[in-house]
PDB file of all heavy atoms in Angstrom:
ATOM      1  N   ILE V 606       6.344  15.392 -13.260  1.00  0.00           N
ATOM      2  CA  ILE V 606       5.648  16.330 -14.132  1.00  0.00           C
ATOM      3  C   ILE V 606       6.234  16.206 -15.530  1.00  0.00           C
ATOM      4  O   ILE V 606       7.439  15.951 -15.686  1.00  0.00           O
ATOM      5  CB  ILE V 606       5.778  17.779 -13.600  1.00  0.00           C
ATOM      6  CG1 ILE V 606       4.993  18.762 -14.472  1.00  0.00           C
ATOM      7  CG2 ILE V 606       7.228  18.200 -13.457  1.00  0.00           C
ATOM      8  CD1 ILE V 606       4.902  20.175 -13.876  1.00  0.00           C
ATOM      9  N   HIS V 607       5.397  16.355 -16.539  1.00  0.00           N
ATOM     10  CA  HIS V 607       5.893  16.287 -17.909  1.00  0.00           C
ATOM     11  C   HIS V 607       6.867  17.440 -18.158  1.00  0.00           C
ATOM     12  O   HIS V 607       6.624  18.565 -17.706  1.00  0.00           O
ATOM     13  CB  HIS V 607       4.725  16.347 -18.899  1.00  0.00           C
ATOM     14  CG  HIS V 607       5.113  15.990 -20.295  1.00  0.00           C
ATOM     15  ND1 HIS V 607       5.749  16.882 -21.134  1.00  0.00           N
ATOM     16  CD2 HIS V 607       4.987  14.828 -20.995  1.00  0.00           C
ATOM     17  CE1 HIS V 607       5.974  16.299 -22.298  1.00  0.00           C
ATOM     18  NE2 HIS V 607       5.534  15.046 -22.239  1.00  0.00           N
ATOM     19  N   PRO V 608       7.965  17.193 -18.870  1.00  0.00           N
ATOM     20  CA  PRO V 608       8.960  18.262 -19.080  1.00  0.00           C
ATOM     21  C   PRO V 608       8.386  19.511 -19.733  1.00  0.00           C
ATOM     22  O   PRO V 608       8.825  20.635 -19.422  1.00  0.00           O
ATOM     23  CB  PRO V 608      10.004  17.586 -19.983  1.00  0.00           C
ATOM     24  CG  PRO V 608       9.892  16.137 -19.679  1.00  0.00           C
ATOM     25  CD  PRO V 608       8.434  15.894 -19.391  1.00  0.00           C
ATOM     26  N   ASP V 609       7.416  19.381 -20.629  1.00  0.00           N
ATOM     27  CA  ASP V 609       6.848  20.565 -21.280  1.00  0.00           C
ATOM     28  C   ASP V 609       6.044  21.405 -20.287  1.00  0.00           C
ATOM     29  O   ASP V 609       6.098  22.644 -20.319  1.00  0.00           O
ATOM     30  CB  ASP V 609       5.967  20.151 -22.458  1.00  0.00           C
ATOM     31  CG  ASP V 609       6.772  19.534 -23.593  1.00  0.00           C
ATOM     32  OD1 ASP V 609       8.013  19.684 -23.591  1.00  0.00           O
ATOM     33  OD2 ASP V 609       6.158  18.890 -24.472  1.00  0.00           O
ATOM     34  N   ASP V 610       5.306  20.736 -19.405  1.00  0.00           N
ATOM     35  CA  ASP V 610       4.601  21.480 -18.355  1.00  0.00           C
ATOM     36  C   ASP V 610       5.601  22.160 -17.430  1.00  0.00           C
ATOM     37  O   ASP V 610       5.393  23.314 -17.008  1.00  0.00           O
ATOM     38  CB  ASP V 610       3.719  20.537 -17.540  1.00  0.00           C
ATOM     39  CG  ASP V 610       2.459  20.109 -18.274  1.00  0.00           C
ATOM     40  OD1 ASP V 610       2.022  20.843 -19.171  1.00  0.00           O
ATOM     41  OD2 ASP V 610       1.919  19.040 -17.942  1.00  0.00           O
ATOM     42  N   ALA V 611       6.658  21.453 -17.091  1.00  0.00           N
ATOM     43  CA  ALA V 611       7.670  22.016 -16.198  1.00  0.00           C
ATOM     44  C   ALA V 611       8.324  23.238 -16.826  1.00  0.00           C
ATOM     45  O   ALA V 611       8.529  24.266 -16.155  1.00  0.00           O
ATOM     46  CB  ALA V 611       8.714  20.960 -15.860  1.00  0.00           C
ATOM     47  N   ALA V 612       8.649  23.159 -18.107  1.00  0.00           N
ATOM     48  CA  ALA V 612       9.296  24.287 -18.786  1.00  0.00           C
ATOM     49  C   ALA V 612       8.386  25.509 -18.788  1.00  0.00           C
ATOM     50  O   ALA V 612       8.838  26.645 -18.591  1.00  0.00           O
ATOM     51  CB  ALA V 612       9.666  23.885 -20.209  1.00  0.00           C
ATOM     52  N   ALA V 613       7.098  25.295 -19.000  1.00  0.00           N
ATOM     53  CA  ALA V 613       6.161  26.421 -19.043  1.00  0.00           C
ATOM     54  C   ALA V 613       6.045  27.120 -17.704  1.00  0.00           C
ATOM     55  O   ALA V 613       5.739  28.318 -17.644  1.00  0.00           O
ATOM     56  CB  ALA V 613       4.790  25.920 -19.504  1.00  0.00           C
ATOM     57  N   LEU V 614       6.314  26.389 -16.613  1.00  0.00           N
ATOM     58  CA  LEU V 614       6.175  26.948 -15.267  1.00  0.00           C
ATOM     59  C   LEU V 614       7.511  27.287 -14.616  1.00  0.00           C
ATOM     60  O   LEU V 614       7.539  27.710 -13.460  1.00  0.00           O
ATOM     61  CB  LEU V 614       5.418  25.958 -14.374  1.00  0.00           C
ATOM     62  CG  LEU V 614       3.973  25.667 -14.774  1.00  0.00           C
ATOM     63  CD1 LEU V 614       3.407  24.530 -13.940  1.00  0.00           C
ATOM     64  CD2 LEU V 614       3.114  26.917 -14.626  1.00  0.00           C
ATOM     65  N   GLY V 615       8.613  27.080 -15.341  1.00  0.00           N
ATOM     66  CA  GLY V 615       9.925  27.365 -14.771  1.00  0.00           C
ATOM     67  C   GLY V 615      10.338  26.401 -13.692  1.00  0.00           C
ATOM     68  O   GLY V 615      11.080  26.772 -12.764  1.00  0.00           O
ATOM     69  N   LEU V 616       9.889  25.155 -13.784  1.00  0.00           N
ATOM     70  CA  LEU V 616      10.223  24.128 -12.793  1.00  0.00           C
ATOM     71  C   LEU V 616      11.420  23.330 -13.291  1.00  0.00           C
ATOM     72  O   LEU V 616      11.289  22.459 -14.163  1.00  0.00           O
ATOM     73  CB  LEU V 616       9.025  23.202 -12.560  1.00  0.00           C
ATOM     74  CG  LEU V 616       7.810  23.841 -11.890  1.00  0.00           C
ATOM     75  CD1 LEU V 616       6.597  22.938 -12.020  1.00  0.00           C
ATOM     76  CD2 LEU V 616       8.104  24.125 -10.427  1.00  0.00           C
ATOM     77  N   VAL V 617      12.577  23.606 -12.748  1.00  0.00           N
ATOM     78  CA  VAL V 617      13.815  22.951 -13.162  1.00  0.00           C
ATOM     79  C   VAL V 617      13.911  21.594 -12.472  1.00  0.00           C
ATOM     80  O   VAL V 617      13.606  21.467 -11.275  1.00  0.00           O
ATOM     81  CB  VAL V 617      15.035  23.828 -12.811  1.00  0.00           C
ATOM     82  CG1 VAL V 617      16.344  23.125 -13.182  1.00  0.00           C
ATOM     83  CG2 VAL V 617      14.919  25.178 -13.507  1.00  0.00           C
ATOM     84  N   ASP V 618      14.340  20.588 -13.217  1.00  0.00           N
ATOM     85  CA  ASP V 618      14.485  19.246 -12.658  1.00  0.00           C
ATOM     86  C   ASP V 618      15.425  19.287 -11.450  1.00  0.00           C
ATOM     87  O   ASP V 618      16.522  19.842 -11.518  1.00  0.00           O
ATOM     88  CB  ASP V 618      15.052  18.310 -13.738  1.00  0.00           C
ATOM     89  CG  ASP V 618      14.968  16.852 -13.351  1.00  0.00           C
ATOM     90  OD1 ASP V 618      13.920  16.434 -12.847  1.00  0.00           O
ATOM     91  OD2 ASP V 618      15.964  16.132 -13.546  1.00  0.00           O
ATOM     92  N   GLY V 619      14.994  18.700 -10.341  1.00  0.00           N
ATOM     93  CA  GLY V 619      15.816  18.654  -9.137  1.00  0.00           C
ATOM     94  C   GLY V 619      15.617  19.804  -8.176  1.00  0.00           C
ATOM     95  O   GLY V 619      16.157  19.769  -7.062  1.00  0.00           O
ATOM     96  N   THR V 620      14.847  20.823  -8.577  1.00  0.00           N
ATOM     97  CA  THR V 620      14.554  21.920  -7.659  1.00  0.00           C
ATOM     98  C   THR V 620      13.302  21.579  -6.848  1.00  0.00           C
ATOM     99  O   THR V 620      12.744  20.493  -6.963  1.00  0.00           O
ATOM    100  CB  THR V 620      14.352  23.235  -8.422  1.00  0.00           C
ATOM    101  OG1 THR V 620      13.255  23.096  -9.341  1.00  0.00           O
ATOM    102  CG2 THR V 620      15.615  23.588  -9.211  1.00  0.00           C
ATOM    103  N   LEU V 621      12.858  22.520  -6.036  1.00  0.00           N
ATOM    104  CA  LEU V 621      11.691  22.289  -5.199  1.00  0.00           C
ATOM    105  C   LEU V 621      10.455  22.965  -5.786  1.00  0.00           C
ATOM    106  O   LEU V 621      10.559  24.003  -6.444  1.00  0.00           O
ATOM    107  CB  LEU V 621      11.928  22.804  -3.785  1.00  0.00           C
ATOM    108  CG  LEU V 621      13.070  22.159  -2.998  1.00  0.00           C
ATOM    109  CD1 LEU V 621      13.190  22.811  -1.624  1.00  0.00           C
ATOM    110  CD2 LEU V 621      12.857  20.653  -2.860  1.00  0.00           C
ATOM    111  N   ALA V 622       9.298  22.345  -5.527  1.00  0.00           N
ATOM    112  CA  ALA V 622       8.024  22.926  -5.968  1.00  0.00           C
ATOM    113  C   ALA V 622       6.984  22.703  -4.890  1.00  0.00           C
ATOM    114  O   ALA V 622       7.035  21.716  -4.146  1.00  0.00           O
ATOM    115  CB  ALA V 622       7.575  22.296  -7.277  1.00  0.00           C
ATOM    116  N   ARG V 623       6.044  23.615  -4.828  1.00  0.00           N
ATOM    117  CA  ARG V 623       4.924  23.492  -3.898  1.00  0.00           C
ATOM    118  C   ARG V 623       3.693  23.026  -4.674  1.00  0.00           C
ATOM    119  O   ARG V 623       3.261  23.676  -5.619  1.00  0.00           O
ATOM    120  CB  ARG V 623       4.648  24.811  -3.196  1.00  0.00           C
ATOM    121  CG  ARG V 623       3.457  24.746  -2.233  1.00  0.00           C
ATOM    122  CD  ARG V 623       3.287  26.024  -1.434  1.00  0.00           C
ATOM    123  NE  ARG V 623       4.258  26.117  -0.343  1.00  0.00           N
ATOM    124  CZ  ARG V 623       5.341  26.875  -0.354  1.00  0.00           C
ATOM    125  NH1 ARG V 623       5.605  27.630  -1.418  1.00  0.00           N
ATOM    126  NH2 ARG V 623       6.177  26.891   0.670  1.00  0.00           N
ATOM    127  N   VAL V 624       3.159  21.876  -4.268  1.00  0.00           N
ATOM    128  CA  VAL V 624       1.910  21.377  -4.841  1.00  0.00           C
ATOM    129  C   VAL V 624       0.784  21.764  -3.903  1.00  0.00           C
ATOM    130  O   VAL V 624       0.831  21.469  -2.703  1.00  0.00           O
ATOM    131  CB  VAL V 624       1.965  19.843  -5.031  1.00  0.00           C
ATOM    132  CG1 VAL V 624       0.634  19.335  -5.592  1.00  0.00           C
ATOM    133  CG2 VAL V 624       3.111  19.461  -5.959  1.00  0.00           C
ATOM    134  N   SER V 625      -0.234  22.435  -4.457  1.00  0.00           N
ATOM    135  CA  SER V 625      -1.358  22.919  -3.658  1.00  0.00           C
ATOM    136  C   SER V 625      -2.658  22.356  -4.208  1.00  0.00           C
ATOM    137  O   SER V 625      -2.800  22.160  -5.420  1.00  0.00           O
ATOM    138  CB  SER V 625      -1.430  24.449  -3.689  1.00  0.00           C
ATOM    139  OG  SER V 625      -0.203  25.028  -3.301  1.00  0.00           O
ATOM    140  N   THR V 626      -3.593  22.105  -3.311  1.00  0.00           N
ATOM    141  CA  THR V 626      -4.951  21.723  -3.676  1.00  0.00           C
ATOM    142  C   THR V 626      -5.899  22.490  -2.755  1.00  0.00           C
ATOM    143  O   THR V 626      -5.449  23.143  -1.806  1.00  0.00           O
ATOM    144  CB  THR V 626      -5.183  20.203  -3.491  1.00  0.00           C
ATOM    145  OG1 THR V 626      -5.237  19.911  -2.083  1.00  0.00           O
ATOM    146  CG2 THR V 626      -4.081  19.385  -4.147  1.00  0.00           C
ATOM    147  N   PRO V 627      -7.199  22.415  -2.983  1.00  0.00           N
ATOM    148  CA  PRO V 627      -8.113  23.103  -2.059  1.00  0.00           C
ATOM    149  C   PRO V 627      -8.006  22.599  -0.624  1.00  0.00           C
ATOM    150  O   PRO V 627      -8.429  23.293   0.300  1.00  0.00           O
ATOM    151  CB  PRO V 627      -9.496  22.784  -2.656  1.00  0.00           C
ATOM    152  CG  PRO V 627      -9.242  22.583  -4.116  1.00  0.00           C
ATOM    153  CD  PRO V 627      -7.907  21.912  -4.185  1.00  0.00           C
ATOM    154  N   GLN V 628      -7.427  21.415  -0.420  1.00  0.00           N
ATOM    155  CA  GLN V 628      -7.340  20.839   0.922  1.00  0.00           C
ATOM    156  C   GLN V 628      -6.064  21.238   1.663  1.00  0.00           C
ATOM    157  O   GLN V 628      -6.038  21.264   2.896  1.00  0.00           O
ATOM    158  CB  GLN V 628      -7.381  19.310   0.856  1.00  0.00           C
ATOM    159  CG  GLN V 628      -8.705  18.731   0.409  1.00  0.00           C
ATOM    160  CD  GLN V 628      -9.007  18.995  -1.049  1.00  0.00           C
ATOM    161  OE1 GLN V 628     -10.017  19.612  -1.375  1.00  0.00           O
ATOM    162  NE2 GLN V 628      -8.131  18.548  -1.945  1.00  0.00           N
ATOM    163  N   GLY V 629      -4.963  21.445   0.935  1.00  0.00           N
ATOM    164  CA  GLY V 629      -3.701  21.726   1.605  1.00  0.00           C
ATOM    165  C   GLY V 629      -2.567  21.858   0.611  1.00  0.00           C
ATOM    166  O   GLY V 629      -2.784  21.930  -0.606  1.00  0.00           O
ATOM    167  N   GLU V 630      -1.362  21.875   1.132  1.00  0.00           N
ATOM    168  CA  GLU V 630      -0.192  22.024   0.265  1.00  0.00           C
ATOM    169  C   GLU V 630       0.996  21.322   0.889  1.00  0.00           C
ATOM    170  O   GLU V 630       1.048  21.062   2.093  1.00  0.00           O
ATOM    171  CB  GLU V 630       0.132  23.497   0.046  1.00  0.00           C
ATOM    172  CG  GLU V 630       0.496  24.244   1.322  1.00  0.00           C
ATOM    173  CD  GLU V 630       0.809  25.713   1.057  1.00  0.00           C
ATOM    174  OE1 GLU V 630       0.164  26.333   0.182  1.00  0.00           O
ATOM    175  OE2 GLU V 630       1.710  26.236   1.743  1.00  0.00           O
ATOM    176  N   SER V 631       1.971  20.977   0.042  1.00  0.00           N
ATOM    177  CA  SER V 631       3.212  20.390   0.517  1.00  0.00           C
ATOM    178  C   SER V 631       4.276  20.579  -0.549  1.00  0.00           C
ATOM    179  O   SER V 631       3.978  20.795  -1.730  1.00  0.00           O
ATOM    180  CB  SER V 631       3.021  18.898   0.823  1.00  0.00           C
ATOM    181  OG  SER V 631       4.105  18.397   1.583  1.00  0.00           O
ATOM    182  N   ILE V 632       5.530  20.480  -0.122  1.00  0.00           N
ATOM    183  CA  ILE V 632       6.668  20.694  -1.016  1.00  0.00           C
ATOM    184  C   ILE V 632       7.233  19.345  -1.443  1.00  0.00           C
ATOM    185  O   ILE V 632       7.300  18.399  -0.651  1.00  0.00           O
ATOM    186  CB  ILE V 632       7.750  21.550  -0.326  1.00  0.00           C
ATOM    187  CG1 ILE V 632       7.179  22.929   0.029  1.00  0.00           C
ATOM    188  CG2 ILE V 632       8.979  21.704  -1.201  1.00  0.00           C
ATOM    189  CD1 ILE V 632       8.131  23.809   0.814  1.00  0.00           C
ATOM    190  N   PHE V 633       7.675  19.278  -2.715  1.00  0.00           N
ATOM    191  CA  PHE V 633       8.277  18.081  -3.282  1.00  0.00           C
ATOM    192  C   PHE V 633       9.487  18.480  -4.126  1.00  0.00           C
ATOM    193  O   PHE V 633       9.632  19.628  -4.537  1.00  0.00           O
ATOM    194  CB  PHE V 633       7.277  17.336  -4.180  1.00  0.00           C
ATOM    195  CG  PHE V 633       6.060  16.822  -3.468  1.00  0.00           C
ATOM    196  CD1 PHE V 633       4.984  17.655  -3.194  1.00  0.00           C
ATOM    197  CD2 PHE V 633       5.979  15.501  -3.059  1.00  0.00           C
ATOM    198  CE1 PHE V 633       3.860  17.195  -2.534  1.00  0.00           C
ATOM    199  CE2 PHE V 633       4.861  15.019  -2.396  1.00  0.00           C
ATOM    200  CZ  PHE V 633       3.807  15.867  -2.134  1.00  0.00           C
TER     201      PHE V 633
END
Side-chain angles (χ1 to χ4, degrees):
I606 183 171
H607 192 281
D609 293 345
D610 285 336
L614 296 172
L616 293 166
V617 177
D618 192 44
T620 60
L621 298 179
R623 179 174 283 103
V624 178
S625 306
T626 72
Q628 292 70 239
E630 62 180 36
S631 194
I632 299 175
F633 297 81

